[in-house]
Amino acid sequence: MSSDSLPPYFNLSPDQAQEALGASETTAGFAAIAEACRAGRTDLAERGLQEDGTRRLRPFSTWEITKYLIPVAPAHFRRVLRQNPDLPQGASETEGGAKWFSFDEVLQLRAFFGSQGSKAKNYLPYRPEGLPAKIVAVANFKGGVGKTSTAAHLAMSAALDGYKVLVVDLDSQGSMSSIFGAQVEDEWDTVFPLLARHYARHLQSDNQRRLDRGEAPVPLDETLEDAVKMTAKDVIRPTHWSNIDLIGAQLNLYWSEFQIPVWRMQSRGWKLWDALSETLEEDGVLDQYDVIFVDTPPALGYLTINGLAAADILMVPLGASFLEFDSTGRFFDMLHSTFASIEEGENIAARALGRPEISFEWDAVRAIITRYDGAQQAEMAGLIQAYMGKRLSPHRQDFTALIGQAGESVNGIYEADYRDFNRDTYARGRATFDQTYAAFKELLIGTWRRDELAAKQTEGAA
């Protein structure tokens, strides 16, 4: 056998390998690698920025608006604009060319059609009055399953549909924050001060009880003193999407995973799993938005527990492979162990004190297959569907060229300009995410409708 036909790992020279190795690395080397990645990340992110350093959502054409956003014929759309000169008229990039509209203008047009258009069409999305926003957690502790991408595109889909959206990034890697162009300085621009405030309020209540018993209070440290003064409004930031706001994340947020158990040890009565949900409710966030998407870390830590406990709907992305199916099963097993353990521990005390027992509950839990290749994964996807049943969405999110190119350009698929692609490629890439959103929206409006009917039944009984 000639040397050319041997596998590349045969006959390697130790001397040549040693020469190619380079110097040993030290701890300082990590800083150099991190700085190189930071510079590259900044460069890539800034390619999508305007001259003033901000991100701006691309305009939308008449074709897109009438095909995807406002269900009217193009001719009728143009006729309505001519008859209503006060409405946004769009702008042409060339003389006599197609009209393009900003997303703010699209929202104005949708509102007009919603109030003046045919009552037989749903120009505005279903949203019962008087009910709080739905919180949607997207979670799985296996990385690379499309968790952040799925959460981001669901948020963008809901925004395009007309919902007011808040995105909460709980992952200290900050990928979701990067998608929305956020500059998060430190942990005080994340959910951390909201969690700290929740604990500080509990500690203040404990201190009042200590004073009532004649005991010395436990002083609040500087972090807790500062957190008590903050509200959700202090950490919510607008994005380049008119109706999407963000609570961002960055590396320092990971410190929460060490700080939260310390607080819990100092005060065993603090219900750490309620910190996020109760803070958002107290600050009126559930009344200001329609849907809140929570992107969780790829691990079942304290931040993930907060996101899952706050959620009304849980979405779990996974790929159609044995390893991802196996990992997802273990994820659900750990969810059961974690929340059952919390319930058991809390309810022992609740029964002893004659208080109501706690029970975690979610309106809906759905797994969804992402990055699907029908030519190679159909059999595996079918097996996963057979075992998971209705808890696995029947829609499989295909991987297309549009998805890959959108990821490379630091954009979501809905931010991609269809003129940069073959129109069929754009339509196929968008269709798979539209289907994903349709399946999710059915869950969303179904849970709202169930709550609406339950509220009416309660009112009738009263």
Side-chain angles (χ1 to χ4, degrees):
M1 181 181 291
S2 68
S3 60
D4 291 341
S5 62
L6 290 173
Y9 46 82
F10 276 104
N11 297 334
L12 292 175
S13 166
D15 290 331
Q16 291 179 359
Q18 187 271 332
E19 290 176 7
L21 184 60
S24 299
E25 291 282 7
T26 65
T27 304
F30 294 147
I33 298 169
E35 176 58 26
C37 292
R38 185 204 62 76
R41 183 172 65 247
T42 300
D43 176 52
L44 289 171
E46 287 180 349
R47 294 182 187 184
L49 298 183
Q50 305 296 316
E51 291 182 0
D52 60 2
T54 62
R55 292 195 70 180
R56 201 164 297 155
L57 187 60
R58 66 173 180 84
F60 295 80
S61 70
T62 299
W63 171 77
E64 280 184 286
I65 293 171
T66 55
K67 179 175 176 61
Y68 292 113
L69 305 178
I70 301 176
V72 295
H76 178 63
F77 179 79
R78 297 187 186 97
R79 185 165 56 250
V80 169
L81 295 190
R82 287 195 301 269
Q83 294 170 350
N84 297 272
D86 292 340
L87 289 176
Q89 298 296 309
S92 298
E93 297 181 351
T94 59
E95 186 174 351
K99 293 291 185 70
W100 294 80
F101 299 78
S102 71
F103 189 50
D104 278 332
E105 291 174 331
V106 172
L107 294 177
Q108 293 176 49
L109 292 169
R110 175 184 274 124
F112 177 83
F113 278 94
S115 62
Q116 304 295 325
S118 170
K119 302 305 178 186
K121 292 185 178 180
N122 296 322
Y123 295 106
L124 301 175
Y126 173 75
R127 172 74 162 90
E129 291 185 12
L131 294 180
K134 288 293 182 181
I135 300 177
V136 183
V138 183
N140 199 332
F141 65 23
K142 191 178 193 314
V145 297
K147 177 180 59 62
T148 297
S149 175
T150 298
H153 285 103
L154 285 176
M156 293 177 187
S157 298
L160 289 170
D161 201 17
Y163 287 118
K164 178 67 174 173
V165 175
L166 175 66
V167 175
V168 181
D169 192 353
L170 295 183
D171 188 348
S172 58
Q173 295 178 87
S175 298
M176 179 69 83
S177 301
S178 294
I179 288 173
F180 286 102
Q183 299 294 324
V184 186
E185 295 298 326
D186 56 32
E187 68 272 18
W188 291 94
D189 286 332
T190 72
V191 298
F192 172 74
L194 304 185
L195 305 181
R197 190 187 88 197
H198 190 271
Y199 171 70
R201 294 273 177 83
H202 173 80
L203 187 56
Q204 288 173 328
S205 297
D206 270 359
N207 280 340
Q208 185 58 55
R209 285 189 286 271
R210 289 187 180 95
L211 290 171
D212 292 342
R213 295 194 300 265
E215 300 173 1
V218 176
L220 273 65
D221 60 27
E222 184 178 350
T223 295
L224 297 179
E225 290 281 4
D226 290 340
V228 167
K229 304 170 187 174
M230 296 186 66
T231 67
K233 184 173 69 173
D234 296 315
V235 296
I236 292 175
R237 300 285 182 268
T239 73
H240 57 293
W241 285 74
S242 305
N243 52 354
I244 300 180
D245 291 338
L246 172 75
I247 299 179
Q250 60 101 249
L251 192 59
N252 289 357
L253 178 60
Y254 192 70
W255 182 53
S256 301
E257 297 290 359
F258 301 97
Q259 185 60 59
I260 288 174
V262 172
W263 290 337
R264 175 69 169 167
M265 290 296 294
Q266 290 173 346
S267 183
R268 300 294 297 178
W270 177 49
K271 295 177 172 55
L272 63 90
W273 48 87
D274 288 335
L276 180 61
S277 58
E278 291 186 354
T279 302
L280 294 179
E281 182 177 9
E282 181 181 341
D283 290 351
V285 174
L286 303 187
D287 298 323
Q288 298 166 18
Y289 296 90
D290 298 314
V291 194
I292 299 172
F293 290 95
V294 180
D295 185 38
T296 63
L300 193 54
Y302 293 104
L303 291 170
T304 301
I305 288 172
N306 261 279
L308 295 176
D312 301 295
I313 298 172
L314 171 59
M315 304 292 290
V316 182
L318 74 153
S321 72
F322 169 79
L323 290 178
E324 294 188 33
F325 181 41
D326 179 54
S327 176
T328 300
R330 296 175 193 275
F331 172 69
F332 279 110
D333 190 29
M334 190 168 287
L335 288 187
H336 170 260
S337 299
T338 299
F339 286 102
S341 175
I342 294 172
E343 288 174 346
E344 182 180 4
E346 289 296 300
N347 290 337
I348 289 174
R351 286 190 291 269
L353 298 171
R355 296 174 180 170
E357 298 185 17
I358 71 165
S359 176
F360 292 99
E361 186 173 302
W362 293 266
D363 288 334
V365 175
R366 291 291 185 277
I368 176 172
I369 290 178
T370 59
R371 301 173 294 107
Y372 177 65
D373 181 351
Q376 300 185 40
Q377 298 178 323
E379 182 178 1
M380 188 68 202
L383 286 171
I384 296 173
Q385 188 80 60
Y387 282 106
M388 296 194 73
K390 291 184 177 180
R391 289 194 176 95
L392 178 68
S393 171
H395 171 68
R396 297 157 190 178
Q397 189 170 284
D398 296 331
F399 187 88
T400 69
L402 177 63
I403 295 172
Q405 291 180 51
E408 290 173 6
S409 60
V410 202
N411 283 318
I413 283 171
Y414 294 114
E415 297 175 316
D417 190 326
Y418 68 85
R419 292 171 294 179
D420 295 335
F421 304 89
N422 174 286
R423 185 173 286 197
D424 289 340
T425 300
Y426 176 83
R428 284 196 305 273
R430 173 168 181 145
T432 190
F433 277 89
D434 285 348
Q435 284 286 349
T436 299
Y437 175 64
F440 163 76
K441 185 180 178 182
E442 190 170 26
L443 289 179
L444 176 68
I445 65 176
T447 60
W448 261 329
R449 182 59 173 161
R450 184 166 62 191
D451 292 347
E452 187 179 27
L453 294 175
K456 288 179 179 179
Q457 188 174 15
T458 300
E459 291 173 3

